[in-house]
Amino acid sequence: HILSVAGAHWQPNWAGALPGVGSLRWDSAYYREVAVRVHQIATMTYDSFMPLPALYRWWVRTEVEGLLAAGVDRSTDLMIGLSVSRA
C-alpha cells in the first residue's frame, strides 16, 4: 500500500513568525515530519493566485527550491503540481 498526502504550500521557517501567516503553510520541519510517515507528498503550486506569468514562474521556482532544500527523506516521493492552463 502507498500512502500519499496533498501538501500545503512550502514556507520558509522564518515566515511562520510573521503576523497573519502563522501555520497557514508547511515549513521545512513540518514537511520532514510528514515525509517520515508517508510514501508520497504532492504539493499544489497552481493555487498561488499569482496575477502574472512571471510571478507564477518565480512562485514555482521558490516552492521547488524550498522543498528540495527542506531535507525531505529521499525515500519519499515529492510531487509538484503545476498549472498548464492558459487562463
Side-chain angles (χ1 to χ4, degrees), residues 39-72:
H39 300 101
Q40 299 174 330
I41 301 174
T43 185
M44 309 304 158
T45 61
Y46 47 81
D47 292 336
S48 67
F49 302 103
M50 293 294 165
L52 300 171
L55 288 175
Y56 179 71
R57 287 190 298 273
W58 170 82
W59 166 263
V60 170
R61 184 176 59 247
T62 301
E63 288 282 298
V64 171
E65 289 172 350
L67 289 167
L68 291 174
V72 170

Side-chain angles (χ1 to χ4, degrees), residues 5-78:
V5 296
H9 297 299
W10 172 84
Q11 73 179 12
N13 294 335
W14 56 265
L18 295 174
V21 175
S23 60
L24 295 175
R25 295 164 174 20
W26 294 6
D27 63 13
S28 297
Y30 195 79
Y31 261 98
R32 286 191 302 273
E33 286 297 317
V34 171
V36 299
R37 293 166 172 80
V38 301
H39 300 101
Q40 299 174 330
I41 301 174
T43 185
M44 309 304 158
T45 61
Y46 47 81
D47 292 336
S48 67
F49 302 103
M50 293 294 165
L52 300 171
L55 288 175
Y56 179 71
R57 287 190 298 273
W58 170 82
W59 166 263
V60 170
R61 184 176 59 247
T62 301
E63 288 282 298
V64 171
E65 289 172 350
L67 289 167
L68 291 174
V72 170
D73 187 287
R74 298 238 184 241
S75 66
T76 302
D77 292 331
L78 188 57

